[in-house]
Amino acid sequence: MSSLTPGSAMPGAEPAPTEQDLTSVRAALRSPRRLRTEVLAGLVVALALIPEAISFSIIAGVDPRVGLFASFTMAVSISFLGGRPAMISAATGAVALVIAPVMRDHGFDHLIATVLLAGVLQILLGVLGVARLMRFIPRSVMVGFVNSLAILIFLAQLPHLIGVPWLVYPLVLAGIAVMVFLPKLTKAVPAPLVAILGVTLIVVVASVTVPTVSDEGKLPESLPSLFWPDVPWNLDTLRIIAPYAVAMALVGLLESLMTAKLVDDVTDTRSGKTREAWGQGVSNVITGFFGGMGGCAMIGQTMINVKASGARTRISTFLAGVFLLILVVGLGDLVGDIPMAALVAVMVMVSVGTFDWHSIRPRTLRRMPRSETLVMLATVVVVVITHNLAIGVIVGVLVAMVLFARRVAHFTSVTTVARPDDDTLVYAVSGELFFASSNDLVYQFDYRGDPAHVVIDLTDSHIWDASTVATLDAITTKYARYGKTVEIVGLNASSAERHERLAGNLGADH
């Protein structure tokens, strides 16, 4: 009798692909099944990008072609330059909100100059290793990011569901039904693509009047061309565009790196965060030179690509951009007839699939520390209120830092451990000593009642910062006022070096 070891394949079965094979373009090109998945996923994403790009163009105050061409150049360029295969980058609402004031107050040329400068800044930040800061984002912030993103995706669909003909609602429900039940029958074709085609066919055959893609804005009729902003290249221009460029660079990088981390978790594969950071910058520079409004990773379309459609390689990202250009320039009339109800149905399902439902189950909330839940809620609330994922993540990280410092601060204790003679008392301090925990340390000693010589044993502690050294100086000073001496012992090498370097040099009378 033969036996199978864990992870081995059944005789005659196709071996499980490795992580490298899953994201390999070459491996996908050799497999007709995987190549079909990548091609169809790119087509679905392209269809979903059109109304989004038009909407974001309106937010930024530019012509729809600016957002559509930006989505094309971002998707195509990042498919070669980016560090996260299958992630979709295009014109986004977060970037549109940041650069809208430039367009309103200074015009289109200054907007493109802002995009170019933001791209250069992202390249510099990427090369400097800003992606490594991702390790400091707690899981609770990541959960809040995912949940708030799902809420924003759903809220973005409400304008297409309010004040519309009643026929829109059954069409949306029909699209949702296709995406729920079709995968149970077959996964040969992406359910979102079938839903879009099916709902469109119903509308065309029944000759009903419902809002369509063409109602969102005029589609371009020509290919994008090179563009150079007509602005004076001097300090005055830099003063105008620099604040917006910095904001765009930071928002774009934060959203892109957070999205890359999410895709890593969904696909069980790793990405090159540093490459993704500078790749976003190069893509924005390329987009600016083609007169595009810039962008970053799009979480909704990325989830359509990797979760709903099953794509895993750069092929789907590249084809999403190519199909987008073909659809809006070559097949604009046909694409314009696609009912918005079909695309709304897709995005509603993306929202439902993106939300971490496990995080709000009563059982999970009972087991989870309250501080973790508070961090998640803070992230969600700020994102939903500001409609800015970057601000929400920053607030979430700050709340997590404060709560962590508060929690760790209470882990420090001071106890009396020995009295060798009438003139000596030994205290033992245990716990991590830093600004939050050491501030209360000064109140743990009996300066009047203690004997002439006090020993403070820090064997079970570690000095992390100057605040702790200043506190120890303050304790020594207080004892000295009563004519008593303090001896600090048990320091590890790092703590001893820090204490020797800073003690007595942080100011008197702390």
Side-chain angles (χ1 to χ4, degrees):
M1 179 181 294
S2 63
S3 61
L4 292 174
T5 58
S8 62
M10 290 290 292
E14 184 179 343
T18 64
E19 178 181 325
Q20 187 174 1
D21 287 339
L22 279 174
T23 59
S24 170
V25 171
R26 185 174 299 176
L29 291 174
R30 290 173 178 170
S31 170
R33 179 182 58 82
R34 290 185 58 192
L35 182 58
R36 182 183 67 233
T37 298
E38 299 291 323
V39 172
L40 294 178
L43 179 58
V44 175
V45 171
L47 290 169
L49 277 173
I50 295 171
E52 296 274 313
I54 295 173
S55 299
F56 299 149
S57 299
I58 295 171
I59 292 174
V62 297
D63 189 89
R65 61 184 287 139
V66 176
L68 289 166
F69 287 161
S71 297
F72 159 69
T73 53
M74 286 292 297
V76 170
S77 59
I78 205 66
S79 68
F80 293 98
L81 301 167
R84 174 62 259 179
M87 191 167 78
I88 305 297
S89 291
T92 61
V95 169
L97 286 170
V98 170
I99 62 176
V102 184
M103 180 65 190
R104 183 185 65 241
D105 299 334
H106 304 284
F108 184 71
D109 290 281
H110 278 80
L111 181 141
I112 298 302
T114 302
V115 173
L116 292 173
L117 179 58
V120 172
L121 292 174
Q122 287 178 327
I123 295 172
L124 292 175
L125 291 171
V127 172
L128 292 174
V130 70
R132 285 193 285 270
L133 296 177
M134 286 296 295
R135 71 185 67 179
F136 297 109
I137 297 180
R139 180 187 177 280
S140 51
V141 175
M142 191 68 191
V143 173
F145 170 80
V146 170
N147 289 347
S148 58
L149 194 54
I151 294 171
L152 287 186
I153 292 172
F154 180 79
L155 292 177
Q157 311 315 309
L158 294 183
H160 304 295
L161 294 172
I162 298 174
V164 294
W166 68 269
L167 284 171
V168 168
Y169 304 113
L171 290 173
V172 171
L173 292 176
I176 292 175
V178 169
M179 286 179 281
V180 169
F181 296 108
L182 181 62
K184 297 179 180 180
L185 301 176
T186 179
K187 294 183 179 180
V189 181
L193 178 59
V194 176
I196 292 171
L197 295 177
V199 173
T200 302
L201 186 62
I202 292 173
V203 170
V204 172
V205 172
S207 297
V208 296
T209 301
V210 292
T212 62
V213 170
S214 60
D215 295 328
E216 297 296 302
K218 181 177 174 58
L219 299 178
E221 299 175 350
S222 61
L223 295 173
S225 57
L226 289 174
F227 181 87
W228 181 256
D230 183 17
V231 296
W233 296 96
N234 53 34
L235 287 177
D236 289 335
T237 300
L238 183 62
R239 275 192 289 268
I240 292 172
I241 67 175
Y244 301 103
V246 170
M248 176 181 167
L250 294 178
V251 168
L253 282 182
L254 187 54
E255 288 207 26
S256 298
L257 294 175
M258 289 289 286
T259 304
K261 189 174 187 301
L262 178 60
V263 177
D264 290 351
D265 295 338
V266 170
T267 61
D268 290 325
T269 57
R270 288 172 292 180
S271 59
K273 303 294 191 304
T274 296
R275 177 177 174 179
E276 183 62 40
W278 63 255
Q280 288 287 331
V282 176
S283 292
N284 271 310
V285 170
I286 293 172
T287 298
F289 281 134
F290 279 93
M293 59 183 274
C296 61
M298 295 191 75
I299 182 68
Q301 276 65 22
T302 298
M303 287 298 101
I304 291 176
N305 199 41
V306 300
K307 208 167 186 180
S309 302
R312 292 292 182 270
T313 75
R314 300 175 186 275
I315 296 174
S316 57
T317 306
F318 174 76
L319 290 179
V322 173
F323 283 142
L324 174 65
L325 188 65
I326 293 173
L327 289 171
V328 298
V329 175
L331 302 173
D333 292 338
L334 292 177
V335 172
D337 290 333
I338 295 176
M340 286 302 300
L343 299 175
V344 168
V346 172
M347 298 310 294
V348 167
M349 287 301 296
V350 168
S351 172
V352 172
T354 301
F355 197 91
D356 185 355
W357 298 100
H358 176 76
S359 66
I360 61 171
R361 289 177 182 171
R363 181 183 300 177
T364 303
L365 294 175
R366 283 195 299 268
R367 293 180 177 179
M368 192 70 64
R370 290 182 180 178
S371 59
E372 300 284 325
T373 303
L374 180 60
V375 170
M376 181 194 73
L377 290 176
T379 305
V380 171
V381 169
V382 172
V383 170
V384 172
I385 290 176
T386 64
H387 282 232
N388 191 313
L389 291 162
I391 295 176
V393 170
I394 292 172
V395 170
V397 170
L398 291 176
V399 172
M401 289 170 59
V402 171
L403 293 177
F404 175 76
R406 180 175 178 271
R407 187 166 63 249
V408 174
H410 297 297
F411 290 164
T412 304
S413 64
V414 179
T415 55
T416 303
V417 294
R419 182 114 187 207
D421 53 60
D422 291 341
D423 292 330
T424 304
L425 180 65
V426 180
Y427 284 101
V429 180
S430 62
E432 304 301 313
L433 298 176
F434 65 110
F435 63 90
S437 61
S438 62
N439 283 336
D440 292 332
L441 194 64
V442 72
Y443 304 112
Q444 306 299 314
F445 301 91
D446 185 1
Y447 301 102
R448 288 189 178 88
D450 284 346
H453 183 59
V454 175
V455 177
I456 301 177
D457 187 355
L458 298 180
T459 301
D460 297 326
S461 298
H462 184 92
I463 297 176
W464 287 104
D465 59 8
S467 295
T468 302
V469 177
T471 298
L472 294 174
D473 283 354
I475 293 171
T476 302
T477 301
K478 286 180 180 292
Y479 274 115
R481 289 173 184 167
Y482 295 96
K484 303 172 183 180
T485 60
V486 175
E487 181 183 1
I488 298 174
V489 299
L491 292 170
N492 58 38
S494 175
S495 298
E497 186 277 331
R498 184 173 287 108
H499 183 262
E500 182 179 355
R501 176 162 44 89
L502 297 176
N505 297 313
L506 298 174
D509 296 330
H510 299 287

